[in-house]
Amino acid sequence: MDRYRMPRVVRAAQLLALGMAGLGVICVASQGWLLGARSAIPTAVPFIPAFLLGLVALTFNSEGQMVRIGAILVAAMNMLWTVPSITEGRPPGPLGPLVSLAVIVLLFRREARDWFEPSTWW
């Protein structure tokens, strides 16, 4: 394994997290543009953990298991946080828990653990 190249599983988790955050930005911006800023707030609330997960995903080039564990915890929070949006018929709907579950599974893979391990960088 090339120690300077991010493994595919980590890159896939990063892209899923950033995609979910980007979807949130698009949904909130379009809701605000179409119906006003006051109506964009209820659309933004379910995406709060997705925004946090996107910020954590930007640090996936850092070493240390705390980045990986933090991303897993925020993804779990996102999964639980977005379940009510399914029954309410609001975004992100079932996409929120599914993407979060995929991120968690990918970050539990051996390649992801090895990538974030500080000893593999030396």
Side-chain angles (χ1 to χ4, degrees), residues 16 20 25 36 44 59 67 104 113 118:
L16 285 171
M20 190 69 184
V25 169
T59 66
V67 173
I104 291 169
R113 284 186 301 218

Side-chain angles (χ1 to χ4, degrees), residues 23-108:
L23 177 68
V25 169
I26 291 169
C27 286
V28 172
S30 63
Q31 183 79 10
W33 181 63
L34 292 172
L35 301 174
R38 192 169 270 167
S39 68
I41 293 171
T43 303
V45 170
F47 283 103
I48 291 173
F51 296 146
L52 292 174
L53 185 58
L55 289 175
V56 173
L58 291 175
T59 66
F60 278 7
N61 281 328
S62 304
E63 68 179 41
Q65 292 293 327
M66 293 309 293
V67 173
R68 185 180 73 88
I69 293 168
I72 291 169
L73 291 175
V74 174
M77 182 176 74
N78 187 37
M79 185 185 317
L80 296 173
W81 189 280
T82 55
V83 167
S85 71
I86 297 170
T87 59
E88 294 171 0
R90 299 184 72 80
L95 195 59
L98 291 174
V99 168
S100 299
L101 182 63
V103 168
I104 291 169
V105 168
L106 288 169
L107 291 179
F108 266 110

